[in-house]
Amino acid sequence: MRRHLTPAALRYHAPVAVCLLAIVLLLFLPTGYEGALLYREAERCTALVTATDDSSIIDTGLVRTGEQRCTLELLDGAFAGETVTGINMLNGSLEQDKLFAPGDKALVVVSHDGDTITNVTMSDHFRLGWEAVLAAIFALFLILFAGRTGVRAIASFALTVLVLWKVLVPLYLKGWNPIWVGLAITLLLTLLIIALVYGFDRRCAAAVSGSFLGILVTCVLGMLFTDLFRIHGAVMSYSESLLYAGYQHLNLTQIFMASIFIGSSGAVMDLSVDICSAVNEVVEKRPDISCREAVRSGLNVGRAAMGTMTTTLLLAYSGGYIALLMVFMAQGTPVANLLNYKYVASEIIHTVVGSFGLVTVAPFTALTAGVLLTAAKRSSS
């Protein structure tokens, strides 16, 4: 006999099908920038470093300039098997420079004129192999500990990466309004990610509603305080490089504003799901509970979670700026001066405005979950 899925089972499994379909479509969706001018008449491939010549490197302590010449064996591409000389330029920057040694595997750009190689540039060490190993270990542990939920988490992770890379970034490069695009994509991801947890049911509707209301608060406050703090979007790393690369039409400040609520949306979703699950559990155990009592229970859970979630944002954003803070302290920079620097002020906006989203998502989710879930229980009884 064929087993038919119940409506509840269909609602629970449908998000997985939608997510997998979206992943497949996004994998084949072109970004429109595959044939960028930078890589015309050039081929990116991997190469094995067989020998190095460091005689042209000028070493002045911490700073190294000049060039390193590497003998390479090309491993793939149209010129696979050929032995060439690659140039590794050193600019005196520890952050950007790299040195190769015999036996290293490198990512190189082979410039050519027809079948003749004209130049080989050393891009960086080839890391995709170990990155794949790390991703596989992460996926394995997630599945071992979380089972089917782990599979859903991997699907949501892959979907998020693809949406950001294949949709958000190309639309930003094309000059679409960063705020509206960011809100639309954040809403889409919030819906699908939470649906993978609950399925398409009232819990999903309650959590998505609460999350997005909190994200809207973060968006509005982010726009307001970015203007009040007089922060220009060029404060973002590598953003000026976009302008010099021919994208002067981009509004970097609006992109920075959008990054505020996009960056906090994950924590907002997390808290929203926690509160919604708690309210749902209370309603399941107490079917006769009133809407007001259910909302109050959600608020109590939210109060307990907000303290740690706010600190989570602080640690997440400040972790990348430890070296900068150490420089300020080593130079004896007064705290008042430190707080006035635009780099620090921009992180204050990220942290505090993101925390506003967490503070507001708790009552929003408690309210939507209390109303929707108690109404569902009454209608089913």
Side-chain angles (χ1 to χ4, degrees), residues 23-79:
I23 289 173
V24 172
L25 292 175
L26 288 170
L27 283 172
F28 292 98
L29 177 70
T31 63
Y33 295 90
E34 287 81 5
L37 182 63
L38 179 64
Y39 293 107
R40 291 181 186 173
E41 298 300 324
E43 182 168 342
R44 286 156 287 178
C45 60
T46 57
L48 178 67
V49 180
T50 57
T52 59
D53 178 6
D54 299 344
S55 60
S56 298
I57 296 178
I58 303 172
D59 195 336
T60 56
L62 287 176
V63 177
R64 288 180 171 180
T65 55
E67 65 180 34
Q68 181 187 41
R69 304 179 71 84
C70 301
T71 303
L72 307 170
E73 179 187 345
L74 300 181
L75 301 177
D76 51 44
F79 303 97

Side-chain angles (χ1 to χ4, degrees), residues 123-154:
S123 293
D124 213 324
H125 289 85
F126 185 78
R127 301 183 175 92
L128 292 184
W130 287 113
E131 288 174 355
V133 169
L134 181 62
I137 294 173
F138 170 71
L140 177 63
F141 272 79
L142 196 57
I143 293 172
L144 286 176
F145 284 104
R148 288 182 298 178
T149 303
V151 175
R152 288 172 177 252
I154 294 171

